[in-house]
Amino acid sequence: MPFSTLGLSSSLLKAIAEQKYSTPFPIQKEAIPAILNGKDILGIAQTGSGKTASFVLPILEQFQHQSTPSKNRHVKVLVLVPTRELAIQINNAFNIFGNYFPAKTKCLAVHGGVSINPQMIELQGVEILIATPGRLLELISSKAVSLSAVQVLVLDEADKMLNLGFKEEMTQIFELLPAKRQTLLFSATLSNDINTINKNLLHEPLVIKVDEEITNLDLIEQTAYRIPEERKGPLLRYIIIHNDLEQVLVFTSTVHRADMVADKLNKNGINASSIHSKKSQGTRTAALSLFKAGKIRVLVATDLMARGIDIKFLPCVINYELPRSPKDYVHRIGRTGRAESSGEAISFITPEDEHHFKIIQKKMGKIATFIDGNEIDLNVY
Ligand code: AMP
């Protein structure tokens, strides 16, 4: 089924073709026509499923057919997201696709970690607002924005918003929204909390479930190196150099370790940067775009960053340290093997990790290929 059958206008079809999207992903096939018909959506889907375009495209399409300008500072679309990175990514998607229409719809991403004043000024004339909950409430209490004219509410990665402790803020925001509106809820999992939001906020939604993880895992080659803690640094350098890796995402469990790993790589002449919650927004955005542009060879990240990072065809992910839950493991390695390209996931397994990694493999239903790191000569690394 091609994109042209989904009810989108020629301007968007041109944009889609230029983005080199040849066929719609499953979630897009279902969500786009339903959203255009005004239906609420409950999408159980991960990053990588194409969920962003599944709501960005029909929202932009609907706006082309609306002639009434909104009252200043009364946004028509509100997209709530858990992280700054995701806010920026979604804003980019609205801008990329929105550019193909003769009449531009002004959109803006607002998030914490940067000064609020420029955001207050920029909110003039904004119709589509992408926001993290905390910053949105600050802007509302400063009267920089009103939600009373919202026609479409999108909750993206709603489960992550709840995990990050945004529940109370979300409830406050929901109370400020008009009752008559379209609501699109996306979540990687269907928890009790998500079900409650569904019951209270959505009206007869179309439920779309995309089991993206399973498809992805088949595309990912998983290797595990048995290695003692103190040899992880040299092993990492060995793998990067020996395998000629040009773009690799490394995961650690703590902010401190992320900085340390990046530091060590740089000292050894491998261009690396770390990205985590303790870094300023500017530094995070810059590191991510340098990495995307191929100007940084290694990006070292903590789990908080695992979901939002949207990079096409990331060839390799390395777990310098294992995550606690099998779910996080899948999210991490899901950064590779996306958009139908295959990828490689490498994990460092210390003797203490063996048991935990067995559980991860069992839960995931896949077995990694083991390599004994002790047999590799790491002296020159
Ligand atoms: P998302 O799940 O929204 O983060 O999207 C995952 C990635 O897939 C992004 O890099 C999108 O640009 C890309 N993408 C989305 N839809 C399509 C499509 N129909 N064909 C090819 N790539 C797509």
Side-chain angles (χ1 to χ4, degrees), residues 3 21 23-25 28 46-52 310 312 338:
F3 270 106
Y21 294 3
T23 40
F25 286 170
Q28 296 164 352
Q46 324 264 338
T47 302
S49 58
K51 66 184 164 64
T52 314
D310 166 28
K312 277 185 199 164
R338 301 180 68 189

Side-chain angles (χ1 to χ4, degrees), residues 13-217:
L13 293 176
K14 187 162 173 252
I16 289 165
E18 284 185 18
Q19 286 302 303
K20 307 218 170 0
Y21 294 3
S22 47
T23 40
F25 286 170
I27 193 162
Q28 296 164 352
K29 276 184 211 159
E30 289 195 61
I32 293 173
I35 296 172
L36 289 174
N37 273 329
K39 262 199 98 62
D40 282 3
I41 300 281
L42 171 61
I44 306 300
Q46 324 264 338
T47 302
S49 58
K51 66 184 164 64
T52 314
S54 82
F55 64 83
V56 164
L57 294 169
I59 287 175
L60 284 169
E61 185 70 50
Q62 280 169 324
F63 272 79
Q64 288 313 302
H65 308 288
Q66 276 198 11
S67 47
T68 37
S70 55
K71 238 169 89 187
N72 196 17
R73 296 185 180 279
H74 285 62
V75 292
K76 288 180 176 172
V77 176
L78 173 66
V79 185
L80 273 187
V81 294
T83 63
R84 306 152 186 190
E85 281 71 22
L86 191 59
I88 293 166
Q89 266 171 34
I90 294 175
N91 191 36
N92 283 346
F94 273 114
N95 279 320
I96 287 170
F97 291 112
N99 251 334
Y100 287 77
F101 284 118
K104 301 271 171 292
T105 313
K106 191 173 171 194
C107 48
L108 181 71
V110 293
H111 44 75
V114 290
S115 159
I116 195 168
N117 293 341
Q119 293 179 351
M120 288 174 155
I121 297 163
E122 275 187 84
L123 266 162
Q124 290 270 8
V126 166
E127 293 188 298
I128 300 177
L129 181 66
I130 304 107
T132 52
R135 177 52 57 96
L136 177 63
L137 284 172
E138 284 178 78
L139 288 162
I140 292 170
S141 64
S142 324
K143 305 246 178 310
V145 67
S146 162
L147 302 186
S148 64
V150 167
Q151 297 168 13
V152 185
L153 166 71
V154 183
L155 302 169
D156 197 10
E157 298 199 352
D159 53 337
K160 184 92 180 281
M161 274 194 277
L162 294 167
N163 287 345
L164 287 174
F166 284 129
K167 194 171 179 178
E168 211 172 290
E169 278 100 335
M170 286 163 78
T171 311
Q172 281 179 48
I173 292 166
F174 296 158
E175 280 165 7
L176 299 171
L177 292 162
K180 193 174 167 302
R181 54 150 208 272
Q182 187 176 18
T183 306
L184 317 173
L185 174 96
F186 295 90
S187 169
T189 50
L190 191 56
S191 62
N192 285 343
D193 276 334
I194 297 292
N195 250 329
T196 311
I197 297 182
N198 172 17
K199 285 206 189 91
N200 294 339
L201 293 192
L202 278 75
H203 176 68
E204 296 175 4
L206 170 70
V207 181
I208 308 171
K209 198 164 183 308
V210 187
D211 228 346
E212 198 257 334
E213 286 179 12
I214 290 166
T215 356
N216 252 0
L217 284 178

